[in-house]
Amino acid sequence: MIVPNYMPDPIEVPGNVTTERYSVRLVFIRRVIWLHMVSLALVSAAMTIPMPHRGIPTTGYTLIAFLVILDIVRIRTRGRREEPWLSCAFFTPVIVIVAALLREMQAAAFPVWAFFVGPPCAALYSTICGRDFSFVGCFFLSLISSSLIVAGAVISLHLTGTLATWAFLANAAYLFYWVYDLAALMARRRFGEEPAAVVDLYRDVFNIFGYIPRVIVHWKKHRIWVVPPASHRHRED
């Protein structure tokens, strides 16, 4: 008897990175990580550009709209050769809007700098780990090192307890999402699609809304969590 997984299998594309040998997967991971560092540098640079203040809600809704567009582009062109390039083409405005949103949050005294601490620690880990890369190790070692950096910044900036808590939470939450999604997207990307994988790290924030219904359908299909009738249990005994 085949026992189904409790969670549905991830969406895969033919020839994805997980089917490659380990050395190829490692190159892909490191390229995505460092390209993501470039995107964060672009966001930081865009934050220095004078922009009109639109408020957090307006800027947030604008970002959501563009991320939805990116999701639609991926859904409509999934698996096609032009999809990675279309995704990258629509990504440029997202950089600017993310920067604008962070500026609005910064104006509201939120410690947005905490979002930029974890990924560089993960990038450093990916460089010095050699061939022993582990997503679990990447998360926990990066979390430890980045938390120490955040603690130093909290002390030097004399932040209140509330802001310090937000700084630690922002660092830990974003780092967890970042490492988890990096591991998950490998089944959806082929070698050579590293720039599009960086785009995925931004737009995949909405995956939870699509994943939850998939989990529910999977549970109903395989009758997971359904208690067998008493007569059926007796027959098994």
Side-chain angles (χ1 to χ4, degrees):
M1 180 178 68
I2 299 176
V3 179
N5 294 326
Y6 283 94
M7 307 303 286
D9 295 329
I11 298 175
E12 297 184 358
V13 298
N16 64 75
V17 180
T18 62
T19 63
E20 302 285 353
R21 61 185 186 277
Y22 178 74
S23 59
V24 175
R25 298 199 303 269
L26 194 57
V27 170
F28 176 88
I29 291 169
R30 286 173 174 160
R31 286 181 180 177
V32 174
I33 289 176
W34 284 106
L35 284 174
H36 186 255
M37 294 304 102
V38 173
S39 75
L40 292 180
L42 293 175
V43 170
S44 299
M47 289 179 66
T48 64
I49 301 174
M51 302 180 189
H53 288 282
R54 303 294 185 185
I56 294 178
T58 301
T59 311
Y61 291 142
T62 304
L63 178 60
I64 289 173
F66 272 86
L67 291 179
V68 168
I69 292 173
L70 280 173
D71 277 330
I72 293 174
V73 168
R74 178 171 58 185
I75 293 171
R76 296 297 298 272
T77 60
R78 191 188 301 276
R80 301 181 187 175
R81 292 183 178 273
E82 64 269 21
E83 184 274 325
W85 306 112
L86 287 173
S87 295
C88 293
F90 281 94
F91 182 57
T92 302
V94 172
I95 292 288
V96 178
I97 300 170
V98 168
L101 179 60
L102 292 179
R103 279 171 57 93
E104 298 292 348
M105 295 172 64
Q106 191 174 51
F110 188 88
V112 297
W113 51 266
F115 291 119
F116 295 85
V117 179
C121 293
L124 180 61
Y125 165 82
S126 71
T127 301
I128 65 179
C129 70
R131 292 181 57 83
D132 297 323
F133 183 89
S134 162
F135 285 108
V136 174
C138 180
F139 171 70
F140 282 106
L141 293 178
S142 300
L143 180 62
I144 293 172
S145 57
S146 60
S147 295
L148 291 175
I149 296 172
V150 170
V154 165
I155 295 172
S156 62
L157 295 174
H158 305 289
L159 297 185
T160 64
T162 300
L163 290 179
T165 300
W166 278 116
F168 281 107
L169 288 176
N171 171 60
Y174 183 60
L175 184 62
F176 176 81
Y177 161 78
W178 188 81
V179 174
Y180 177 84
D181 196 53
L182 177 60
L185 64 81
M186 292 180 63
R188 305 190 304 267
R189 287 295 168 195
R190 303 182 182 94
F191 187 74
E193 296 181 353
E194 292 85 353
V198 174
V199 180
D200 291 342
L201 289 172
Y202 285 84
R203 64 181 161 194
D204 282 351
V205 293
F206 294 126
N207 275 5
I208 186 65
F209 300 107
Y211 189 66
I212 291 177
R214 287 185 60 219
V215 171
I216 295 174
V217 171
H218 179 77
W219 287 349
K220 289 182 177 179
K221 176 181 178 180
H222 297 284
R223 301 182 62 82
I224 298 174
W225 308 118
V226 175
V227 179
S231 59
H232 181 72
R233 293 199 301 269
H234 291 325
R235 285 198 301 270
E236 289 183 346
D237 294 337

